[in-house]
Amino acid sequence: MSQSYDRGAVEDFGRWTEFSAGMWAWILHKFTGWVLVGYLFTHIAVLSSAMQGGAVYTETIQTLEGLFVVRVMEVGLLAAAVFHILNGIRLLMVDLGIGLEAQDRSFYASLVITGAIVVASVPTFLSGLGGGA
Amino acid sequence: MSTQPQDAETEQPAEEAEEAEPESEHQQRRMAEKARRAEERARTREKRDRVAEDEETYHLRVFRYDPDVDGKGDPYFDDFHVPYEQGMTVLDALIYARDHYDPSLTFRHSCQQAVCGSDAMFVNGRQTLCCKTQLNELDEPVRIEPLPHQEVVKDLVVDMEHFYDQMEAVEPYFQAIDTPEVEDLEEQRQSRENREKIKMSTRCIWCAACMSSCNIAAGDNQYLGPAAINKAYRFAMDEREEDEVKEHRMNVLADEHGVWRCQTQFSCTEVCPKDIPLTEHIQELKREAVKESLKFW
Amino acid sequence: MAEEYRSFERGGTGWFLQRVTAAFLVVVLAFHFFNLHFLNHAYEVTFAGTEARMSDVGYFATMWLFLVTATFHGVNGVYNALINQGLTGTTKRVVQVVLGVAGLLLIVQGTRVAMAMSTLI
């Protein structure tokens, strides 16, 4: 044994077709987590406009809400939040030792419900566009 | 050496010599019979060869690496076409390939019945024990690689040192402070319920399939890993060990690189060839550790 | 004392608090989204409306707790993700400090913003 070979992490994305449900759940949970924590900082930054007076605050929010891109990103944020909540509930159950044998099905259920809620919310999230700013 | 086969051999020439001498109807009949038998034998041989020709073969793609041989220091894949027999496992196919095609093909195996735990490999992207994986359940080509996240020593052989270190770290042996007096009792009894509780955790065969499948163990080298935590579970949950011993065990497990690193991906539980509910055991230990700490608050 | 129950400080606290905040956040985040996108439309938000909401003691307290728990949950989540990658030694210490400061700043700024929005303080 003069030498050995380190193949690195083989679960890198090149092998995504071989990932199991639990692995996907973890990847998506982590990804949506990054999105949400990123948004949290952004959110407080935007709301900080309130410190320069009510008019600036109202103006900032209404301008941003008048942008189509912002609305689309909000739908994305909703998707991330809903999935993180639902999968979070799934993970809390797993932590409590409840329904471990159904962990794959509960992940698929989280995905389906997230999809349904997001699709159903699109009209609300895009309503009033163009009216504001 | 037995003399029996020799007897049988010497018998034949004697018979033939006898046949050559007198010409009789009896002898002609025997000659005809002999010819007929030879013909039959030839026919069956021909038939067997024909079967062998269009026999079902399995296509294996095997990871090869040998740092000691020029040109093999860079990993590559070798193809083997192994004739299939009913009930053939991945290990059987590897043994066939080694014995018939390439004696340098290296892999660990011993009992061939899922007890010794030496032939865990990465087959078609999944950690599995080769001796309990049927070939006909796999898509071709069957891709056979050494366990991921462990250094490859040669071909399908990986360095298990780190895995064994983690196993040792949890003191994988029974250690009760009070053992029963010899006169009182010869056995240290365990209740049936307690035995049931730890039953699955005792089935570990140290094959390292779980450790290899664990994404966190791959990133954090200090993480104890599913096998070691399960081993600790087996003793921490054993009622015959005193509270002090359990506390000591929980201290090891509650380390930052202990149970908390588990992200409940269920990869280990899915690949365990012994169907040990690893994630469940790790989760139970997390709750146990939190409970222990909350007690003092 | 701390020595004796060290185990709880070594990862257990973080794990436990991550779960406790998660349970709280599941409810409050869902409420927050529903409140500001369905009950009140985000594009209709004005300072007057925000001020009216934030001047209710219960709402103000909930939102401030929301800020604190979300910051902890988020920052601790990021920290865990990095630890899972095998972070050790000085890098780990640096990450701890950076994330801790970032979280603290977020809570301070969030609190200032909340006070500016409310007539309570």
Side-chain angles (χ1 to χ4, degrees):
Chain A
M1 202 176 96
S2 54
Q3 191 189 334
S4 61
Y5 175 67
D6 178 9
R7 288 191 296 153
V10 292
E11 285 99 336
D12 279 343
F13 244 72
R15 288 192 186 246
W16 63 273
T17 48
E18 286 157 2
F19 291 174
S20 60
M23 182 75 160
W24 276 119
W26 180 74
I27 290 170
L28 286 178
H29 201 76
K30 200 155 126 166
F31 174 72
T32 52
W34 283 103
V35 169
L36 291 172
V37 77
Y39 179 72
L40 176 62
F41 280 85
T42 320
H43 195 41
I44 295 298
V46 170
L47 295 187
S48 293
S49 58
M51 294 175 76
Q52 287 150 45
V56 182
Y57 175 80
T58 307
E59 172 69 17
T60 311
I61 303 248
Q62 304 244 328
T63 310
L64 285 173
E65 288 294 330
L67 298 171
F68 182 71
V69 196
V70 171
R71 297 301 188 93
V72 172
M73 282 167 78
E74 275 184 343
V75 175
L77 182 71
L78 175 79
V82 173
F83 176 79
H84 204 81
I85 288 176
L86 292 174
N87 193 55
I89 294 172
R90 167 181 170 271
L91 289 175
L92 284 175
M93 301 300 260
V94 167
D95 285 332
L96 292 171
I98 302 167
L100 266 73
E101 55 300 314
Q103 61 90 11
D104 45 352
R105 275 165 286 153
S106 56
F107 164 63
Y108 299 135
S110 314
L111 277 185
V112 170
I113 299 171
T114 303
I117 291 179
V118 170
V119 169
S121 305
V122 166
T124 313
F125 272 69
L126 295 185
S127 68
L129 249 189
Chain B
M1 239 223 286
S2 148
T3 48
Q4 243 174 336
Q6 275 176 324
D7 285 350
E9 262 175 63
T10 46
E11 218 173 75
Q12 247 175 339
E15 208 177 287
E16 271 172 51
E18 199 186 280
E19 279 162 13
E21 258 182 81
E23 282 177 53
S24 67
E25 278 178 55
H26 176 242
Q27 200 209 351
Q28 274 173 347
R29 246 201 334 264
R30 283 183 66 179
M31 291 293 277
E33 176 76 357
K34 228 177 164 179
R36 197 185 59 78
R37 276 206 207 124
E39 207 179 301
E40 207 171 272
R41 263 202 304 277
R43 259 209 307 276
T44 41
R45 201 179 307 125
E46 203 181 304
K47 203 169 148 195
R48 199 176 14 177
D49 289 347
R50 237 194 351 262
V51 170
E53 254 168 50
D54 51 35
E55 203 168 31
E56 202 185 341
T57 63
Y58 263 79
H59 181 186
L60 311 182
R61 279 183 69 73
V62 183
F63 180 98
R64 303 299 303 271
Y65 167 75
D66 187 351
D68 296 332
V69 175
D70 280 343
K72 289 187 174 181
D74 285 324
Y76 60 99
F77 279 86
D78 255 352
D79 294 275
F80 295 108
H81 295 268
V82 174
Y84 178 71
E85 263 174 60
Q86 202 185 349
M88 202 174 204
T89 63
V90 175
L91 182 63
D92 293 333
L94 281 174
I95 290 173
Y96 188 96
R98 180 196 61 196
D99 292 351
H100 293 81
Y101 305 136
D102 183 355
S104 74
L105 177 60
T106 313
F107 48 94
R108 288 195 185 98
H109 66 99
S110 179
C111 75
Q112 309 191 27
Q113 49 189 352
V115 175
C116 72
S118 54
D119 68 340
M121 289 171 215
F122 198 52
V123 179
N124 278 1
R126 189 186 159 90
Q127 288 80 359
T128 184
L129 272 192
C130 289
C131 59
K132 76 183 283 274
T133 306
Q134 291 288 316
L135 258 192
N136 64 4
E137 287 170 3
L138 299 168
D139 290 333
E140 282 187 89
V142 180
R143 203 177 66 231
I144 307 171
E145 297 165 76
L147 285 182
H149 308 140
Q150 270 134 307
E151 298 263 311
V152 184
V153 177
K154 188 189 175 205
D155 293 346
L156 300 168
V157 177
V158 292
D159 184 2
M160 299 277 280
E161 267 327 296
H162 179 64
F163 175 75
Y164 294 145
D165 285 347
Q166 302 304 73
M167 292 301 269
E168 298 298 332
V170 299
E171 300 167 25
Y173 35 83
F174 185 72
Q175 33 186 347
I177 298 166
D178 284 327
T179 42
E181 302 262 341
V182 181
E183 312 92 70
D184 296 348
L185 245 178
E186 275 159 6
E187 297 167 349
Q188 194 157 15
R189 299 263 173 84
Q190 180 182 26
S191 73
R192 279 171 185 277
E193 294 73 27
N194 192 242
R195 173 63 207 172
E196 267 313 299
K197 183 175 177 59
I198 64 163
K199 185 175 81 182
M200 294 305 280
S201 66
T202 64
R203 295 173 56 168
C204 178
I205 54 173
W206 297 45
C207 71
C210 56
M211 187 77 158
S212 170
S213 78
C214 180
N215 185 270
I216 307 304
D220 178 8
N221 216 33
Q222 291 180 68
Y223 175 40
L224 284 172
I229 295 176
N230 175 70
K231 201 39 122 179
Y233 177 96
R234 184 254 170 274
F235 293 106
M237 294 299 170
D238 192 316
E239 63 186 8
R240 294 168 297 176
E241 283 192 352
E242 287 82 358
D243 287 346
E244 297 95 293
V245 183
K246 182 173 181 177
E247 205 175 298
H248 167 65
R249 290 192 184 281
M250 292 309 294
N251 253 325
V252 175
L253 290 169
D255 185 88
E256 187 171 35
H257 301 282
V259 288
W260 313 117
R261 290 275 67 77
C262 167
Q263 307 287 302
T264 60
Q265 293 173 347
F266 291 90
S267 310
C268 55
T269 308
E270 273 166 34
V271 299
C272 179
K274 289 301 190 182
D275 297 325
I276 303 170
L278 293 160
T279 311
E280 198 178 318
H281 289 165
I282 300 172
Q283 292 300 85
E284 199 177 332
L285 287 171
K286 283 181 193 166
R287 292 197 296 275
E288 195 74 16
V290 168
K291 256 187 269 170
E292 292 275 309
S293 322
L294 286 179
K295 251 197 296 193
F296 302 109
W297 277 26
Chain C
M1 203 67 172
E3 268 309 293
E4 216 173 329
Y5 314 122
R6 203 181 41 190
S7 68
F8 202 49
E9 269 80 43
R10 286 187 299 155
T13 324
W15 184 85
F16 187 56
L17 288 178
Q18 190 76 352
R19 268 73 198 162
V20 173
T21 51
F24 176 73
L25 287 168
V26 158
V27 180
V28 183
L29 180 58
F31 161 74
H32 189 61
F33 250 97
F34 194 70
N35 188 26
L36 288 159
H37 283 281
F38 294 89
L39 289 181
N40 304 285
H41 293 292
Y43 59 92
E44 285 166 357
V45 165
T46 57
F47 186 74
T50 302
E51 196 176 44
R53 281 189 294 275
M54 286 300 275
S55 297
D56 180 272
V57 183
Y59 187 82
F60 184 91
T62 311
M63 284 302 110
W64 188 76
L65 260 183
F66 183 30
L67 169 75
V68 174
T69 49
T71 306
F72 173 81
H73 192 86
V75 169
N76 190 47
V78 170
Y79 177 67
N80 276 329
L82 294 172
I83 290 295
N84 290 340
Q85 296 304 312
L87 214 62
T88 48
T90 323
T91 349
K92 184 172 146 184
R93 194 77 212 135
V94 169
V95 164
Q96 276 175 342
V97 171
V98 169
L99 285 177
V101 169
L104 222 60
L105 282 179
L106 188 73
I107 290 175
V108 168
Q109 177 64 9
T111 308
R112 288 171 69 209
V113 171
M115 291 194 303
M117 285 171 172
S118 177
T119 55
L120 288 173
I121 306 159

